[in-house]
Amino acid sequence: MKIRRIAALRQLRECMTALIRVVPPDIRSLWGWISGVFGLFPPHATEYTHLHTEPCRFAAMTQERRIIKMGKDKKLVEAITSMETDFAQWYTDVVKKAELIDYSSVKGCMVIKPAGYAIWENIQHELDRRFKETGVENVYMPMFIPESLLQKEKDHVEGFAPEVAWVTHGGLNPLQERLCVRPTSETLFCDFYANDVQSYRDLPKCYNQWCSVVRWEKETRPFLRSREFLWQEGHTAHATAEDAQERTLQMLHLYADFCDEVLAIPVIRGQKTDKEKFAGAEATYTIEALMHDGKALQSGTSHNFGDGFAKAFNIQYTDKENKLQYIHQTSWGMSTRLIGGIIMVHGDDSGLVLPPKIAPTQVMVIPIQQHKEGVLDKAAEIRDTLKQAGVRVKMDDSEKSPGWKFAEQEMRGIPIRLELGPKDIEANKCILVRRDTREKTECALNEAPAVITELLETIQKDMFARAKAHRDAHISDVSTYEELKDTVEHKPGFIRAMWCGDVACENKIKEDTTATSRCIPFGEQEAISDVCVCCGKPAHKLIYWGKAY
């Protein structure tokens, strides 16, 4: 008898879910209240409890659930903190409740769960393809660096010394020389090039490696700053300074195009000041993105090392005139902090919003009243048809309610939800729901592959346009120091201001406002004034300033 009652309640729940899709908003609000009282909608995936039939259990469940309004955002449960209330807590809630990461027993390190790692795999796959189109080859270097090797380049070792983790024992025996767990691999590549490059015929060397690095950060945050993180680091060696500079800029623009086209994140391209450049580099170039809270995120960097490392490691080659010359090197990298950028640029109070080109699952098929004959079979048929069309698609045929499945799809940021019930099948149609706007459209079943493919492209473009509009609306021009300080305090975002080039002014701005120089943008920039925003001396450099992660 109890099993029958549970089955009957499940059928009632699915029927009411199907009904609510077509009822007016005022009645839908009443249904939200009724469902909260009687437990017909279960809470979000991370708080899911099985449906019980005993009246006392209904009361207990109602107390535990934090039901909120079913207004414009259709949010079924209060699963995460609002970003307007506490952006940092919102971010933490999203990475946890979307099951991207979990915390580990190693302080400052994280477990990247399947949902998070799948995003990284897509980033890795697309970047790797683009790298190889430019002639880059993948290699792998050891994760340990002898202390003597690290100390060969003075500026480099000073820059990384505070963050280095050291290995002092092998088993029970002390090591004769400490080993650094790689914070980056410039010294390893230099040691390799010193033996591998002999002649101009050996150049260029264009290598990349996918690996993890360790930097002993004092304060950590998932994806944005952790003691171990995943990344790629490219290292190239060239015969001339011109070739090295060309490769440096080529990779920076590759990064920027990737962010624009795949992640739907608009970026500012430019050069770092000498104070902010990479330790040991002649010049560092960066792409800077703006997060929803108005803070900047350095999303990728490309460094021109000139011949500094080559001289420190004595990396020489014989040129065409049979003379010895030093090589010129570059280095460039992107990391899993890009996932943090995706969350903070596109996410909302219901969780992730993933751009279709990077989403592990682009479409989730959700059968309505799936216990009825033919519903699951038709849903599976549509899923298979979409797969054949090249769409990354899954079907949720679990025993959870449709409302629960809708909430989970939203939390995980899946770009499109495809709803299919008995009446839809009868009418030879389905319902498509966009994650980014929650807009619903009807679609003929035989047109679904073409319509969905086009809709994914539209979502990708719309997400980039919204992110760009948000960034552009949060760029302020200032010409006086008082304006700068007031803007930093009251208007989050990028600030454009003139700078004389003196590091003392750069340091003062950081000390007074906590804003840092983000980059000197490429291209011709209209001068905001002719004097430095800090000291009032003549200035010819326009700088983007801002608080940053």
Side-chain angles (χ1 to χ4, degrees):
M1 179 64 71
K2 184 175 180 180
I3 294 175
R4 290 179 187 170
R5 283 187 296 173
I6 292 175
L9 279 169
R10 185 177 293 122
Q11 290 183 19
L12 172 62
R13 188 172 57 193
E14 291 185 352
C15 288
M16 295 305 292
T17 302
L19 175 63
I20 198 172
R21 294 161 66 205
V22 296
V23 298
D26 53 343
I27 299 177
R28 195 178 304 147
S29 297
L30 176 61
W31 167 246
W33 178 82
I34 295 171
S35 65
V37 174
F38 292 101
L40 293 173
F41 276 119
H44 188 267
T46 55
E47 301 169 358
Y48 179 70
T49 54
H50 290 290
L51 181 64
H52 295 281
T53 55
E54 297 90 332
C56 62
R57 298 300 291 273
F58 269 123
M61 289 168 63
T62 303
Q63 291 296 322
E64 292 172 2
R65 292 173 182 159
R66 294 171 292 169
I67 305 297
I68 65 169
K69 65 178 181 179
M70 300 235 343
K72 289 188 294 184
D73 62 357
K74 306 286 193 304
K75 192 175 179 184
L76 298 177
V77 293
E78 188 179 86
I80 56 176
T81 304
S82 167
M83 65 169 65
E84 301 301 329
T85 301
D86 186 338
F87 192 82
Q89 187 59 50
W90 167 83
Y91 177 83
T92 301
D93 288 348
V94 170
V95 297
K96 283 283 291 173
K97 292 182 181 292
E99 298 189 13
L100 301 181
I101 65 104
D102 205 346
Y103 296 110
S104 76
S105 57
V106 183
K107 188 177 180 181
C109 297
M110 61 182 173
V111 176
I112 304 179
K113 300 179 77 171
Y117 199 81
I119 297 173
W120 177 242
E121 285 180 314
N122 286 348
I123 291 173
Q124 186 180 33
H125 175 78
E126 180 60 25
L127 279 176
D128 201 61
R129 181 186 67 79
R130 293 179 181 229
F131 292 164
K132 288 173 180 175
E133 286 179 353
T134 71
V136 173
E137 299 177 289
N138 285 330
V139 298
Y140 188 80
M141 293 287 167
M143 70 180 298
F144 301 115
I145 305 172
E147 185 172 13
S148 58
L149 200 63
L150 190 67
Q151 291 179 338
K152 280 194 173 183
E153 213 291 329
K154 181 175 177 293
D155 291 338
H156 186 68
V157 69
E158 287 180 357
F160 280 100
E163 300 176 344
V164 167
W166 294 100
V167 178
T168 59
H169 284 68
L172 300 176
N173 302 316
L175 299 178
Q176 289 185 342
E177 181 180 14
R178 291 196 302 175
L179 296 175
C180 159
V181 183
R182 65 172 168 231
T184 182
S185 300
E186 278 73 19
T187 54
L188 289 171
F189 275 90
C190 286
D191 188 53
F192 169 72
Y193 288 147
N195 298 313
D196 196 55
V197 175
Q198 305 298 327
S199 163
Y200 71 91
R201 297 182 181 88
D202 298 326
L203 297 171
K205 298 288 188 186
C206 299
Y207 294 148
N208 173 69
Q209 75 166 345
W210 295 94
C211 62
S212 69
V213 291
V214 173
R215 297 180 185 176
W216 215 253
E217 301 280 2
K218 293 180 180 178
E219 295 183 5
T220 60
R221 182 177 294 181
F223 293 121
L224 299 177
R225 199 172 291 277
S226 56
R227 287 181 175 171
E228 181 190 19
F229 57 89
L230 304 178
W231 78 342
Q232 59 74 210
E233 51 177 320
H235 297 268
T236 67
H238 304 271
T240 67
E242 292 76 18
D243 289 346
Q245 178 67 1
E246 182 181 349
R247 172 60 74 168
T248 304
L249 295 179
Q250 179 186 24
M251 301 315 292
L252 185 85
H253 292 308
L254 184 152
Y255 285 158
D257 292 342
F258 170 76
C259 286
D260 288 355
E261 297 166 6
V262 180
L263 305 186
I265 297 177
V267 295
I268 304 293
R269 313 176 193 206
Q271 182 175 352
K272 287 288 189 182
T273 63
D274 285 345
K275 178 180 181 295
E276 295 291 330
K277 72 181 180 181
F278 184 82
E282 280 193 0
T284 289
Y285 302 90
T286 181
I287 53 173
E288 300 284 329
L290 190 70
M291 304 297 100
H292 188 84
D293 64 344
K295 288 186 179 179
L297 184 73
Q298 179 178 288
S299 302
T301 51
S302 188
H303 317 286
N304 187 340
F305 291 144
D307 59 5
F309 276 91
K311 289 178 178 177
F313 285 80
N314 195 31
I315 312 172
Q316 293 180 291
Y317 71 95
T318 305
D319 66 12
K320 293 180 180 180
E321 282 73 43
N322 206 31
K323 295 179 181 179
L324 284 176
Q325 304 287 351
Y326 287 106
I327 66 168
H328 296 261
Q329 293 172 264
T330 79
S331 177
W332 26 273
M334 273 185 157
S335 74
T336 40
R337 74 172 4 212
L338 286 175
I339 299 176
I342 294 169
I343 297 167
M344 292 192 292
V345 169
H346 300 301
D348 61 22
D349 284 349
S350 291
L352 283 177
V353 183
L354 293 175
K357 289 187 178 180
I358 210 66
T361 301
Q362 296 172 315
V363 177
M364 180 63 77
V365 177
I366 299 181
I368 307 298
Q369 294 180 282
Q370 65 184 42
H371 64 284
K372 290 199 172 182
E373 185 179 355
V375 173
L376 284 177
D377 290 340
K378 194 64 178 178
E381 179 186 323
I382 292 174
R383 176 200 61 199
D384 294 342
T385 301
L386 291 174
K387 280 185 179 178
Q388 292 173 5
V391 177
R392 296 190 291 275
V393 57
K394 289 184 178 179
M395 180 176 75
D396 189 344
D397 58 357
S398 67
E399 288 297 314
K400 301 158 189 170
S401 74
W404 189 98
K405 295 176 185 179
F406 295 168
E408 182 177 48
Q409 174 261 339
E410 287 198 351
M411 179 63 80
R412 293 184 180 276
I414 298 170
I416 296 176
R417 180 172 78 235
L418 189 155
E419 303 172 8
L420 183 72
K423 291 189 179 296
D424 299 319
I425 296 172
E426 186 179 326
N428 194 37
K429 67 179 183 180
C430 61
I431 304 296
L432 303 179
V433 185
R434 290 176 56 162
R435 171 62 183 91
D436 62 324
T437 64
R438 295 186 174 87
E439 178 185 353
K440 289 189 175 185
T441 57
E442 291 186 352
C443 172
L445 293 180
N446 62 336
E447 297 176 358
V451 171
I452 287 172
T453 299
E454 183 178 351
L455 185 57
L456 290 169
E457 288 292 333
T458 300
I459 293 171
Q460 184 80 26
K461 292 176 182 176
D462 288 352
M463 289 182 67
F464 177 79
R466 280 195 299 273
K468 187 175 185 299
H470 176 270
R471 183 201 67 186
D472 293 348
H474 291 80
I475 298 177
S476 303
D477 290 352
V478 302
S479 54
T480 69
Y481 200 53
E482 289 306 313
E483 269 189 294
L484 175 69
K485 290 191 291 185
D486 184 70
T487 303
V488 171
E489 184 176 355
H490 297 109
K491 190 177 179 183
F494 285 130
I495 300 171
R496 300 195 317 158
M498 302 304 292
W499 177 55
C500 62
D502 190 341
V503 70
C505 289
E506 191 176 1
N507 287 333
K508 179 175 173 55
I509 290 171
K510 182 178 180 179
E511 290 168 6
D512 291 349
T513 68
T514 71
T516 55
S517 62
R518 304 316 308 158
C519 70
I520 305 167
F522 289 158
E524 291 293 328
Q525 301 288 327
E526 183 179 350
I528 296 169
S529 72
D530 55 2
V531 297
C532 176
V533 71
C534 182
C535 66
K537 295 178 182 177
H540 303 287
K541 294 179 179 179
L542 177 70
I543 294 275
Y544 275 78
W545 306 86
K547 294 185 178 181
Y549 285 97

